[in-house]
Each structure stands twice: as C-alpha cells, then as structure tokens.
Amino acid sequence: MPERPSAQARVWGVAALVQAVGDTLAARFSSCVVKGEISGFTRAASGHGYFTLKDEHGNASLRCAMFRRALSQVDFTPGEGMLVEARGNLSVYEARGELQLVVEGLQRAGAGALYEQFLRLKARLEAEGLLDAGRKRAIPRFPSRVAVVTSTAAAALRDVLTAMRRRSPHVEVVIAPCAVQGAEAPAQIVQAITNVTLSHHAGMQIDAVIVCRGGGSLEDLWSFNDERVVRAIAGCPIPVICGVGHETDFTLAEFAADLRAPTPTAAAELVAQDQGASLAQVDALSRHMAHRVHQRLDGLAQGLDQAAVRMARPAQVLNRQRQDLSLLEHRMLSACQARVRRARQQLPHLQDRMTRAVSVQQSRQVHSLQSWEARLSALNPHKVLERGFAWLTDDSGQPVTRASQAHAGGKVTGVLADGLLRMNITEVTLDAASRPDRPPMPDTDDR
C-alpha cells in the first residue's frame, strides 16, 4: 500500500507552490544577465516582446518576456539567431508553471553560432556566383503543370493547393514529398528535386517548381540553409519559386531560387495567374481586336467605294486632272514672271556693283604695276652706271670683279653709262687682306 504522508508534511496548493517557487527564484536571482541566441521572437499587439534564449549548442532554452517599455529602449531590432545578453529577473509564469526571464535590458553579444554559419555559407556561395541575380530565370506566366516540393503533412501544402484550385484549377499539381525539418530533411529535399528533374527529362513537362514550408524558428528552417539544398535548387533546370516561412524569414534556398515568395500561399499565387483575371483580359483583348478589325474593314470598304466611283466616271476624272494641270500651268507661269520681274529690278543694282568692283580692281592693278615698275627701275644696271660705276670685262668678255684677275700689261674694257673704254693695265696693286700668304723665309741656321 502507498505510504501516507506524515502529519507534519505541509500540503501545498498548486498556486501557492508556484508562487513560493517564484518568490524563491526572485530572491535568489533578483537580477541576472543571461547570454544566448534569440529564437522565435514575436511582438504582440500590446507592444510586448516574447522570445526564447538558447545556448549556442541548442541543449537548453529559456523563455523570455520583455514588456513594451523595456523593448522600446532597445537600439536594434531583435532577430532570429542573434547572440544577445539579456538582463532581468527570473520568475515563474503562474498560468503555466513555466520558468521565464522578465527582461529589462537587451544588448548585442555578437551573431549566434547558427547565424554566423549562415553568413559564412552565404558569402562562399556568393563568391561562386550561385546567388547572382543574373542567374535568375523568368517564371512562366501560364504554366500547365507545377511541381510542389514539401511535406505531405505540412499546412503549407494545403495552402498551396487551395490557392492553386482557387486561382488556376486547370493547372496540374505534382507533389514531390519530403521532410522539411530535421536531420534527414536536406537529403530528402535534394532527392525530391532530383525526382522532379528526372520526371521532367523523361517527358513529363513541368513548367515550374515550388519549394515551400511554413514558418518556424531558425532551427526549424535550417534545412533550407543546407548547402546541398541550395546547390540542388541552383542546379535545377526548371524555374524554382521558394516560399519558406513568413515574410521576415530568409533562407539561402530563397536566395538561390529564381523567385522568392514571402509565404507558401504567395508562391502559389505568383506561379498561378488568376483564371478570372486572365479570362477577363483575354475577353478585353478579343473585343479590342474585333473593334480594330471592323475599323480596318470599314476603311477598306470606303476606299473601295471611292475607287469604284472613280472607275465608273472616267470623264470626270480626266476633267479634274485637266483642271489641276491648267491650275499648275498658271501657277508656274505666274511664278516665272514674278521671278523675271524681281531679276529686272535687281539688274541696275547689280550693274552698279559690278562697275564699282571693276574700278576698284583696276585701281589695285595699276598701283601694283607701278610698284613693280619702280622696283625694276631700281634694279636696272644702267641706273647704277649713271651713278659713276663701271663694268669691267677681260679680252674674253668675262667680268672682272677682283684685282687679282688682272695683271700688268693686260687689257680690260670698261663699260660706262654712255660708251666703252679700252684700257691697258700698267700696274696691279692688291689690298693687304686679299694678298695670298707667302711662304716663310728659310732659317740661315738650316742652310
């Protein structure tokens, strides 16, 4: 039989025990600082913040509550995976009997281990070019078959199927099941994408692939930060739309995909055009095309009627052409006469200008001729002879310009301004500067 409690043992009520534990914790840990990674941060409509602090290895966690006044003093936006130091008081949330930290101050302590791993892998993949925007392919506007890679038990699959049936019920949906969370999820996601690719190459035309799952913490979504999954999405020959988590969640799979959707439902809406809107657009285009065709036919019919009228009355056409020809002839004659009158009016003016131009040119030529005449006169040899100079030549008629060319007893002819002189040379005297150098006299000692 079970042992009955002793008479001295105190029997606690649940509320009293929880309150006592809370008082003990508040007294023992009145103010403490806890370091850990933020997970599952949410901000309530009241402005209060709620999140979980986890150690870097994921072995322990602590629920935290941060009231609006304290949260408004934080100088950064708390995010998934951030490594922070939270200062506050330990207490017990009596409604659930859960241990929680009421945070009064929050400051960064550096990026968390998972977040640091995320950043390192992202930087390496960017260096390889796998996340470049230039690799992105356009999603077909009107697909006929779409593959969905997700868990069959996930709410995300139901959301995608509901959106597809609502917007494009004619689009065939092929489900590639896989786990989306846990240690086995990355390999299964890669295998599901591979199966879709094999089916596409085998002849099943697949226009787009949706890779999706619902929201969760950084740890829950970590399968979509696995390098194998990222490379499988980047290497998929079919355009991929990735909708993982909520709008504030970002994974490397979304960076590698051709299009990122904030939610799984949004991914379905992006790949499947609304059937009603598409039909309305087709109807509007059809009406516009019919209107333009009718306009074109009406214009051609009017042109045909006018041509038929012209062909039915050729005499009228000829008369009209004659009238046009007569009018053009009259206009051309009037234009020629007007041109002749203007030319006649300008003729006296042009004659006067030409007379003045000839006179000016003649004066310039006369002045130039007189200038050349004066220059030639100055260079005339007779003018030089008239100034007292003479021109000497030897017996052969060669000019004598130096005294060294003559010798005593020779003859020269002198040309003067008014005649010739026959002269005999009795003596030749040379300037000292023009005398040739004599050889030095021999030294008497050398004889």
Side-chain angles (χ1 to χ4, degrees), residues 212-268:
C212 62
R213 69 146 287 161
S217 65
L218 181 62
E219 292 84 357
D220 297 336
L221 305 180
W222 192 251
S223 298
F224 294 88
N225 290 320
D226 191 280
E227 184 175 356
R228 294 168 293 174
V229 175
V230 176
R231 293 189 180 277
I233 291 176
C236 182
I238 309 168
V240 178
I241 302 174
C242 193
V244 176
H246 302 297
E247 187 171 0
T248 56
D249 298 321
F250 288 91
T251 62
L252 294 177
E254 294 173 294
F255 288 115
D258 297 292
L259 182 63
R260 176 189 180 269
T263 61
T265 301

Side-chain angles (χ1 to χ4, degrees), residues 102-310:
V102 179
V103 181
E104 297 179 354
L106 193 66
Q107 65 180 12
R108 289 178 181 269
L114 287 179
Y115 190 62
E116 289 180 352
Q117 183 180 350
F118 172 89
L119 293 178
R120 286 194 300 270
L121 180 57
K122 182 173 182 288
R124 183 157 56 84
L125 295 176
E126 285 178 339
E128 294 181 21
L130 289 182
L131 310 184
D132 289 347
R135 299 182 68 257
K136 309 298 182 184
R137 296 163 294 186
I139 306 300
R141 288 193 61 191
F142 301 101
S144 59
R145 183 180 291 113
V146 175
V148 180
V149 177
T150 190
S151 172
T152 54
L157 178 60
R158 294 192 296 272
D159 295 340
V160 169
L161 294 178
T162 300
M164 295 290 289
R165 284 194 298 267
R166 171 172 50 85
R167 294 174 62 84
S168 298
H170 63 282
V171 176
E172 180 183 351
V173 178
V174 178
I175 301 174
C178 63
V180 294
Q181 183 175 338
E184 301 297 326
Q188 293 190 23
I189 295 172
V190 172
Q191 186 59 48
I193 295 174
T194 303
N195 294 338
V196 170
T197 302
L198 293 175
S199 300
H200 178 70
H201 290 320
M204 179 184 290
Q205 180 64 35
I206 298 176
D207 301 307
V209 179
I210 297 177
V211 179
C212 62
R213 69 146 287 161
S217 65
L218 181 62
E219 292 84 357
D220 297 336
L221 305 180
W222 192 251
S223 298
F224 294 88
N225 290 320
D226 191 280
E227 184 175 356
R228 294 168 293 174
V229 175
V230 176
R231 293 189 180 277
I233 291 176
C236 182
I238 309 168
V240 178
I241 302 174
C242 193
V244 176
H246 302 297
E247 187 171 0
T248 56
D249 298 321
F250 288 91
T251 62
L252 294 177
E254 294 173 294
F255 288 115
D258 297 292
L259 182 63
R260 176 189 180 269
T263 61
T265 301
E269 292 176 347
L270 289 172
V271 76
Q273 300 292 328
D274 183 64
Q275 187 181 50
S278 298
L279 291 176
Q281 185 178 8
V282 170
D283 184 60
L285 291 174
S286 176
R287 290 196 303 271
H288 178 71
M289 184 172 63
H291 176 68
R292 293 302 301 269
V293 169
H294 291 155
Q295 280 186 334
R296 180 64 174 168
L297 291 176
D298 290 343
L300 293 175
Q302 291 178 4
L304 183 61
D305 292 341
Q306 294 175 2
V309 170
R310 290 195 298 268

Side-chain angles (χ1 to χ4, degrees), residues 358-372:
V358 169
S359 177
V360 171
Q361 185 66 18
Q362 185 178 9
S363 299
R364 291 177 179 174
Q365 294 295 335
V366 170
H367 182 270
S368 177
L369 184 60
Q370 292 174 350
S371 175
W372 282 107

